Amino acid sequence: MFKLDSRLHNDTFFVCDLSLCRVLLMNDSQFPWLILVPMKNDIAEIIDLSEEEQITLLKESALASKAMQALFSPLKLNVAALGNVVRQLHVHHVARFENDCAWPKPVWGNQPAVAYDSNKAQALVKSIQQWFKDNS
Amino acid sequence: MFKLDSRLHNDTFFVCDLSLCRVLLMNDSQFPWLILVPMKNDIAEIIDLSEEEQITLLKESALASKAMQALFSPLKLNVAALGNVVRQLHVHHVARFENDCAWPKPVWGNQPAVAYDSNKAQALVKSIQQWFKDNS
């Protein structure tokens, strides 16, 4: 059974499951930020997935990127698999703006997260769920 | 004709051209660091490529990741398309180690680059070229 890393679990809201990946919303109101986690255990690198799974990840990542563009109209997307802190493979999709608090630096390790107001988070999760429902 | 962004040109050494991407070695001796640049103009996001090109990028990115593992045995790979500073689509592949100077933070925007000694860079480029020749 797939087991999500506890840090990822604690730092995010569940959005939906696609065919390979669980979609999570990062609980940081400073940036629209989706994380895709392939639902496979003991995988740290993209190349640890089979070739077929890598292509599915690519397609689901493209879908997440399109969701970010449709919902937030960012200046730039940051798409990244880092994993220096949480080793379980997860792919960040961050919508970036020239006036966000980290620009042009990356979002990781530069400033503490600012949690969403819980009503705002619920509404945001709902709108992202709806987008995936309509587009996948 | 494909035009490489001048900042990418100035900050890197040419390694080789694959079918879609130009492979560059970042001139920063603190981290083994390859950059893949799809040889298409006016592309900023992965999803600006056609689906076929995205799959080729995925395969060439996997090859770059395998090169990094084979040549440097990193603890973790950081694979990322950011583009906040240089907008031309380019995908970083950074070999990370627990004792590198940025660990566990990302490498971008945290410390200035330290250029390679030119003999060392030449030897490194040669070994990476040889790896791609033997494996692609």
Side-chain angles (χ1 to χ4, degrees):
Chain A
M1 209 183 107
F2 170 63
K3 191 161 166 27
L4 183 65
D5 176 274
S6 62
R7 181 149 174 177
L8 286 176
H9 179 266
N10 293 337
D11 292 350
T12 63
F13 300 101
F14 174 79
V15 177
C16 60
D17 283 342
L18 303 175
S19 90
L20 176 64
C21 294
R22 177 153 298 172
V23 182
L24 305 166
L25 173 68
M26 187 73 170
N27 188 10
D28 187 344
S29 60
Q30 300 170 113
F31 314 96
W33 183 341
L34 294 179
I35 298 180
L36 264 58
V37 188
M39 289 179 285
K40 310 269 298 183
N41 293 318
D42 304 318
I43 300 278
E45 304 289 358
I46 295 169
I47 54 172
D48 293 342
L49 296 169
S50 72
E51 281 185 30
E52 197 184 336
E53 289 164 344
Q54 289 179 44
I55 289 173
T56 305
L57 172 60
L58 173 77
K59 288 181 177 171
E60 295 182 356
S61 171
L63 197 65
S65 293
K66 284 174 191 164
M68 298 303 262
Q69 285 189 336
L71 295 168
F72 306 106
S73 303
L75 175 61
K76 191 67 193 68
L77 293 168
N78 289 176
V79 178
L82 304 179
N84 303 342
V85 177
V86 170
R87 197 163 169 85
Q88 181 174 59
L89 177 60
H90 58 289
V91 185
H92 300 277
H93 297 73
V94 193
R96 301 299 307 274
F97 301 87
E98 223 163 356
N99 63 350
D100 73 40
C101 67
W103 185 266
K105 286 193 175 194
V107 296
W108 309 275
N110 275 319
Q111 65 292 309
V114 177
Y116 283 104
D117 164 271
S118 97
N119 286 343
K120 166 84 184 160
Q122 255 191 318
L124 192 52
V125 165
K126 249 191 192 166
S127 70
I128 301 168
Q129 282 170 336
Q130 190 62 49
W131 191 93
F132 276 100
K133 207 173 156 190
D134 294 343
N135 293 279
S136 60
Chain B
M1 208 183 108
F2 170 62
K3 191 163 166 26
L4 183 65
D5 174 274
S6 61
R7 182 150 172 175
L8 286 176
H9 179 266
N10 293 337
D11 291 350
T12 64
F13 299 100
F14 174 80
V15 176
C16 60
D17 283 342
L18 303 175
S19 91
L20 177 65
C21 294
R22 178 156 297 172
V23 182
L24 304 167
L25 172 69
M26 187 72 168
N27 188 11
D28 187 344
S29 60
Q30 299 170 112
F31 315 97
W33 184 340
L34 293 179
I35 298 180
L36 264 58
V37 187
M39 290 179 284
K40 309 270 298 183
N41 293 317
D42 304 317
I43 301 280
E45 304 289 358
I46 294 168
I47 55 173
D48 293 341
L49 295 169
S50 72
E51 282 185 30
E52 197 185 335
E53 288 164 346
Q54 288 179 44
I55 290 174
T56 305
L57 173 60
L58 173 77
K59 289 182 176 170
E60 295 181 356
S61 171
L63 196 65
S65 292
K66 285 174 191 163
M68 298 304 261
Q69 285 190 336
L71 295 169
F72 306 107
S73 303
L75 174 61
K76 190 68 192 68
L77 292 169
N78 289 177
V79 179
L82 304 179
N84 303 342
V85 177
V86 169
R87 198 163 168 84
Q88 181 174 59
L89 177 61
H90 58 288
V91 185
H92 300 277
H93 298 74
V94 192
R96 300 300 307 273
F97 302 86
E98 223 163 354
N99 64 350
D100 73 39
C101 66
W103 185 267
K105 287 195 172 192
V107 297
W108 309 276
N110 275 320
Q111 64 292 308
V114 177
Y116 282 104
D117 165 89
S118 96
N119 285 344
K120 166 85 185 159
Q122 255 190 318
L124 192 53
V125 165
K126 250 191 192 165
S127 71
I128 301 168
Q129 283 170 335
Q130 189 62 47
W131 191 94
F132 276 99
K133 208 173 155 190
D134 294 343
N135 293 279
S136 59

